[in-house]
Amino acid sequence: MPIMNGLELAKCIKEQSPDTPVIFFTAFPETSYLLKAIELGVTGFVMKPVDTDQLLAVLDKASVPLLQRRVIRDLSWNWLHP
């Protein structure tokens, strides 16, 4: 990326929207790079070239907390506003 690298972008996203899942598509499997991404709160990794099954598994994992929060919010709203 010309303006910033993936780690810098992940840091910016997490600072502005901590609940937003960040998924890396990367060709850099170096341990230090992946550990830094985990420290920044990256939700998952998909290695290039992209494997569809791996991508779907990462998306599934990333979506669960979002869906749980939505269900809790909706249940809370319905309970408070019958």
Side-chain angles (χ1 to χ4, degrees):
M1 294 188 306
I3 297 174
M4 65 178 68
N5 66 33
L7 292 173
E8 294 166 334
L9 178 60
K11 182 179 179 188
C12 288
I13 292 170
K14 287 303 195 178
E15 286 173 351
Q16 294 186 22
S17 183
D19 292 336
T20 299
V22 175
I23 299 170
F24 265 28
F25 289 81
T26 184
F28 301 108
E30 290 87 18
T31 304
S32 61
Y33 182 82
L34 298 178
L35 288 175
K36 181 63 177 171
I38 291 168
E39 288 175 17
L40 293 172
V42 170
T43 305
F45 303 93
V46 177
M47 297 298 176
K48 295 179 184 178
V50 175
D51 174 274
T52 307
D53 291 334
Q54 182 188 21
L55 173 60
L56 291 173
V58 170
L59 290 171
D60 188 48
K61 177 185 168 194
S63 67
V64 170
L66 297 173
L67 295 172
Q68 288 172 335
R69 281 195 294 274
R70 176 175 277 176
V71 167
I72 290 169
R73 183 196 66 212
D74 291 348
L75 289 172
S76 298
W77 175 262
N78 290 335
W79 186 73
L80 293 171
H81 301 91

